[in-house]
Amino acid sequence: MKATAKAHTNIALIKYWGKREESIILPTNNSLSLTLDGFYTTTSVKFNKDFTEDEFFLDGKKVTGVPYDRVSGFLDLIRDLAGKKVYASVESVNEVPTAAGFASSASGFAALAAAGAKAIGLELNDQELSRLTRQGSGSACRSIYGGFAEWRMGFMEDGSDSYAVPVAPVEHWDLRVAAVVLDAKMKKVSSRDGMRRTVESSPFFAGWLDSISVDLREIKSGIEARDFEKVGKIAEANCLKMHATTLGAKPPFTYWIDTTLTVMQRVRELRENGIPAYFTIDAGPNVKVLYLPENEKQIHESLQRIPGVLDVRLSKPGHGISYL
Ligand code: DP6
């Protein structure tokens, strides 16, 4: 009753921002992402009928409190699906340095779902696995697939039609992402809290939702044609629209710090100098820069030189779930 799975994190080009139902994580919009090779989590799950409770180790350290509760709560979903009341020992190793500014929850819950389902004897197809993973962390449901994936929000109340589907495999296009890590000292508003506050109180939220279907249709045609300018422009504008909703919330908030704006400006300058690059930003101050392999050296050097930038981590497109 033991299995080990590896999952990569992903970066959203069309953001998931807003829930219509929090308990089982149902979103208010479709989203689209690229899975990244550089950042991943490997998780082993062992079920044993002699265990009297779950235990969770992250990078060798025993975890308690809220992160433990989230993992144990997620294992309940797996137990319910399998109809087995048996506890587990979970060991996760994160290759998503917190410093890289990626939420490790995407790769973390995707690896946990895959290893947990396999260990308890569930035979799930990708769609079923994505639907299960979604209930741990929304963005994680896209990490089941390599390359580009779309999370279809669905309309059913029970969430049965809310899962991710593949859009283009990892070999389709070698689009690169630089994760620009900033020196930030601020109190973080989690994506969960930020989304909730925005949905409940931002008058800009309706405008955000209105813009999704065109963005999604256009970016998919851009991905199919490997049209970097088209994909970059849409991803950058979509990220700005998402962040604009937070300024209208009550109370207002932003994930950006001064260096976030400096990096955004540097990306615009790179473009003015003929080097194609576009930015996107998640629920934090760090910036992810989209670029093509032939411009890697210039992009890397230019971003590293910005004062307040701690690190620049480069990544290629990554694969979906694998079992070890
Ligand atoms: C801004 O997936 O972390 O990164 O479903 O509450 O766990 P929960 O939220 P999470 O939110 C990610 C938000 C985002 C955009 C995205 O990845 O699509």
Side-chain angles (χ1 to χ4, degrees):
M1 295 254 273
K2 184 179 173 184
T4 302
K6 176 177 168 182
H8 293 91
T9 191
N10 67 76
I11 178 74
L13 305 180
I14 304 295
K15 304 292 182 194
Y16 146 50
W17 194 244
K19 292 182 181 69
R20 64 180 198 278
E21 171 54 52
E22 255 197 69
S23 59
I24 54 169
I25 310 194
L26 296 176
T28 48
N29 67 279
N30 293 11
S31 56
L32 184 144
S33 62
L34 175 62
T35 299
L36 298 177
D37 176 59
F39 313 100
Y40 56 90
T41 303
T42 308
T43 296
S44 298
V45 179
K46 187 166 82 186
F47 287 98
N48 187 323
K49 59 178 175 20
D50 297 331
F51 293 163
T52 53
E53 58 178 10
D54 294 319
E55 53 178 15
F56 174 36
F57 297 87
L58 180 59
D59 296 328
K61 288 197 201 85
K62 193 168 174 143
V63 178
T64 57
V66 175
Y68 168 84
D69 293 342
R70 258 182 99 179
V71 165
S72 184
F74 189 74
L75 290 169
D76 287 341
L77 298 176
I78 295 178
R79 285 186 275 260
D80 285 351
L81 267 183
K84 290 184 188 160
K85 180 113 192 79
V86 56
Y87 291 105
S89 174
V90 176
E91 284 178 39
S92 279
V93 178
N94 249 343
E95 298 295 335
V96 188
T98 335
F102 279 104
S104 53
S105 66
S107 55
F109 276 99
L112 177 64
K118 187 152 193 241
I120 210 164
L122 286 167
E123 281 175 24
L124 303 182
N125 61 31
D126 285 350
Q127 196 170 301
E128 291 163 333
L129 183 59
S130 176
R131 194 175 0 191
L132 169 66
T133 305
R134 184 202 81 226
Q135 296 172 70
S137 181
S139 54
C141 81
R142 300 181 305 235
S143 275
I144 303 307
Y145 308 98
F148 297 88
E150 178 184 357
W151 176 11
R152 304 226 171 117
M153 59 178 278
F155 298 96
M156 306 289 283
E157 270 179 37
D158 64 359
S160 54
D161 57 351
S162 185
Y163 49 78
V165 296
V167 168
V170 63
E171 307 78 31
H172 173 69
W173 192 13
D174 189 7
L175 186 65
R176 303 276 170 98
V177 176
V180 185
V181 185
L182 307 182
D183 186 5
K185 292 175 195 71
M186 58 182 252
K187 199 170 168 289
K188 195 166 155 29
V189 181
S190 71
S191 48
R192 211 157 268 199
D193 293 346
M195 261 184 232
R196 189 187 306 123
R197 201 192 296 178
T198 308
V199 173
E200 284 170 0
S201 65
S202 178
F204 305 152
F205 192 70
W208 155 252
L209 290 185
D210 280 348
S211 72
I212 298 291
S213 62
V214 173
D215 280 2
L216 205 59
R217 190 182 67 223
E218 289 298 304
I219 207 163
K220 283 198 274 191
S221 91
I223 290 167
E224 198 185 341
R226 298 187 197 89
D227 182 339
F228 182 70
E229 196 182 320
K230 184 168 183 178
V231 168
K233 268 189 183 156
I234 297 167
E236 190 172 293
N238 183 270
C239 144
L240 291 172
K241 282 181 279 195
M242 173 207 132
H243 285 269
T245 66
T246 70
L247 298 178
K250 260 195 210 149
F253 66 104
T254 181
Y255 289 108
W256 300 351
I257 58 171
D258 51 358
T259 328
T260 309
L261 291 160
T262 311
V263 177
M264 287 156 72
Q265 189 50 32
R266 175 64 57 87
V267 171
R268 293 186 186 106
E269 283 161 15
L270 282 161
R271 285 207 292 268
E272 279 158 20
N273 293 325
I275 300 165
Y278 294 88
F279 61 79
T280 185
I281 303 160
D282 281 337
N286 297 324
V287 183
K288 318 294 181 319
V289 179
L290 308 172
Y291 64 93
L292 293 169
E294 58 266 32
N295 301 120
E296 182 153 282
K297 196 164 173 288
Q298 279 161 301
I299 300 264
H300 194 192
E301 282 172 9
S302 173
L303 295 172
Q304 269 179 324
R305 275 201 303 270
I306 301 171
V309 167
L310 293 182
D311 195 8
V312 178
R313 316 271 304 214
L314 309 176
S315 185
K316 296 178 185 180
H319 289 274
I321 295 284
S322 58
Y323 297 90
L324 309 174

